Amino acid sequence: MKKNISLVAGAALLALSGLASAQSAVGTTTVYVGLAHIDVNSKAAALSGGSKQFPEPGAQIRVGDQTTTGFGLVYRFAESWSGELVLGIPPSHKVYGNGVLANAGQIAVVRQMPPTAFVNYHFGPLLPKLYPFVGLGVNYTYFEKTRSTATGDAVSGGPTKIYLSNSWGAAAHVGFTLRYNENWSLVGTAAYADVKSNMRAVTTTNTGEETLRTRINFRPMVYSLSLGYSF
């Protein structure tokens, strides 16, 4: 009986501790910085347009993965809710040939800026000091400094300029906060964003300009691990 009472008392103290911690978190701001790995699972239709006729499955492209420095800000506006802005150093992705261009190697480079805003729901402690959360939000991806490589120019038939339309899309993530103390924490997340873009590759040839087009579904998964400071 005493053992059961002790277990119940311990569980009650743990629950109260978690509740007090959550309540005390209301109104706090957390800034964090760490590493973010962008696992791109791009899918794109074969390039169309221009005078070149590519055999099946056509001239395709795929976008490579990248790791960058991520940072952001979280504001706890209620006991279980927070708003979050996710930022980072804009990463540059290598673009490779696919389909009949699979042996071409790297044909382009594109740099993107993908700020994302989330509203998060925070659960109680899964383990002592370990707090899971989920979030839904919106992503805006701005593409800049796209360029074709020498190989890309050769495949296209001349100097090529690449244009990508910017993207708005839904985003979601799951994560955890491991609290060291009142101020410091370790934050890990796995996020997905709906990022789609229309691409144009405009090539200057001896006879004029030719344009190839496709639509890229980037389908990125972003895994991050950061150190946070709350105040």
Side-chain angles (χ1 to χ4, degrees), residues 34-54:
L35 290 178
H37 177 71
I38 306 168
D39 182 12
V40 182
N41 304 282
S42 65
K43 184 177 181 180
L47 294 165
S48 62
S51 59
K52 286 190 176 183
Q53 298 297 317
F54 295 98

Side-chain angles (χ1 to χ4, degrees), residues 117-193:
F118 289 101
V119 174
N120 300 321
Y121 179 80
H122 299 262
F123 299 94
L126 181 64
L127 294 171
K129 298 186 178 183
L130 182 65
Y131 295 79
F133 63 87
V134 296
L136 294 175
V138 62
N139 165 266
Y140 175 70
T141 299
Y142 172 75
F143 296 96
E144 62 167 6
K145 293 192 176 180
T146 57
R147 66 175 177 84
S148 175
T149 64
T151 300
D153 289 349
V155 169
S156 300
T160 301
K161 294 183 179 180
I162 298 172
Y163 303 92
L164 287 169
S165 63
N166 299 327
S167 170
W168 285 95
H173 68 178
V174 296
F176 68 85
T177 300
L178 180 62
R179 297 180 183 171
Y180 294 125
N181 54 42
E182 184 178 307
N183 298 112
W184 294 98
S185 60
L186 184 69
V187 183
T189 62
Y192 176 81

